Amino acid sequence: GLSQNVPVLPPLRYPCDVLLSRVDRHLHVSQGDEHHRLLLPHSPPSLALAVSANPLKLDPSSPSTLTPPSQPLCSLLTRPLLSISAYAPLSLLDIAYNALQPVFYSTPRALGGLGLEPHAIGNALAVLGLSNGVFQAFCFPRMIKAWGVRKTYLVGIASAAPVFVCFPAMSAVVRMEERAALQTREEPALSAPLLVMLAFQLLLTLLLNT
């Protein structure tokens, strides 16, 4: 009764299988004169005539068909490469400062360093890290809005010069204090000029980390 009126549907096939079967049925490749012609299913007659009138010619001896055309060197200067080249000097200066800072702090005063204890160095680095986080969260967005990305980047690069100049300046002050301490036989400590230069250096480090 009812089952006889229901048509029997063919088994389901994936769309890719149907497309491949159609392409296999309509693929014609001519073997003579190295002319290759591809007729896609349901292609209009005008397209078929255009393909047959202008077949693709493959010449193995021609270098244009075997190797891609050479690109100029300036084509490599894409936006990611420019971004990397702009970040590289800033990162180099930041890493150099982070490597030199604890060494200078721990160097004995007789050699021109600050001669700080390990816990004092840790406290100074902790204060610098906390200040850097606060600066990046609240001050850096305002700098970007006021100056723009390019000017902010140039300010960060320019701040590296006085940051590294502070090391020999503080070393000269330490040597002067050591010579004065030998005459008075007093225990040297961080003087006010050293504290001012140290605070100035740490302040400029926030700009370098931007």
Side-chain angles (χ1 to χ4, degrees), residues 75-88:
S75 63
L76 299 177
L77 298 178
T78 57
R79 186 172 297 274
L81 184 59
L82 292 176
S83 301
I84 294 174
S85 61
Y87 179 73

Side-chain angles (χ1 to χ4, degrees), residues 5-6 14 33 46 48 50 53 56 66 88 93 113 118 120-121 128 141 160 165 171 174-175 179 184 193 202 204:
N5 297 330
V6 177
Y14 292 100
D33 298 331
S46 59
L56 178 63
L66 298 179
L93 294 174
I121 299 176
L128 177 60
V165 168
S171 180
V174 168
R175 293 180 184 275
R179 288 194 295 266
T184 59
L202 295 180
L204 292 177

Side-chain angles (χ1 to χ4, degrees), residues 17-101:
D17 297 336
V18 177
L19 179 59
L20 290 177
S21 63
R22 291 183 179 179
V23 171
D24 292 337
R25 288 198 304 268
H26 294 275
L27 181 63
H28 303 282
V29 180
S30 61
Q31 301 296 332
D33 298 331
E34 297 178 351
H35 292 171
H36 298 266
R37 181 176 60 186
L38 175 63
L39 298 180
L40 297 178
H42 307 290
S43 59
S46 59
L47 178 60
L49 291 176
V51 173
S52 61
N54 299 307
L56 178 63
K57 296 182 179 181
L58 298 178
D59 188 4
S61 62
S62 177
S64 61
T65 58
L66 298 179
T67 58
S70 60
Q71 299 293 334
L73 185 61
C74 60
S75 63
L76 299 177
L77 298 178
T78 57
R79 186 172 297 274
L81 184 59
L82 292 176
S83 301
I84 294 174
S85 61
Y87 179 73
L90 186 62
S91 179
L92 177 62
L93 294 174
D94 188 22
I95 293 174
Y97 171 76
N98 291 332
L100 186 60
Q101 181 186 20

Side-chain angles (χ1 to χ4, degrees), residues 70-180:
S70 60
Q71 299 293 334
L73 185 61
C74 60
S75 63
L76 299 177
L77 298 178
T78 57
R79 186 172 297 274
L81 184 59
L82 292 176
S83 301
I84 294 174
S85 61
Y87 179 73
L90 186 62
S91 179
L92 177 62
L93 294 174
D94 188 22
I95 293 174
Y97 171 76
N98 291 332
L100 186 60
Q101 181 186 20
V103 176
F104 180 76
Y105 287 176
S106 61
T107 301
R109 294 178 62 93
L111 299 178
L114 296 183
L116 298 179
E117 297 294 332
H119 68 276
I121 299 176
N123 293 334
L125 296 180
V127 171
L128 177 60
L130 181 61
S131 303
N132 190 20
V134 175
F135 181 82
Q136 296 293 334
F138 296 99
C139 299
F140 179 70
R142 297 181 180 179
M143 291 175 58
I144 292 294
K145 292 181 180 179
W147 296 346
V149 178
R150 183 176 180 274
K151 187 175 293 186
T152 304
Y153 171 78
L154 294 178
V155 168
I157 291 293
S159 64
V163 165
F164 286 99
V165 168
C166 285
F167 286 117
M170 287 188 291
S171 180
V173 173
V174 168
R175 293 180 184 275
M176 292 175 57
E177 292 179 352
E178 284 294 316
R179 288 194 295 266

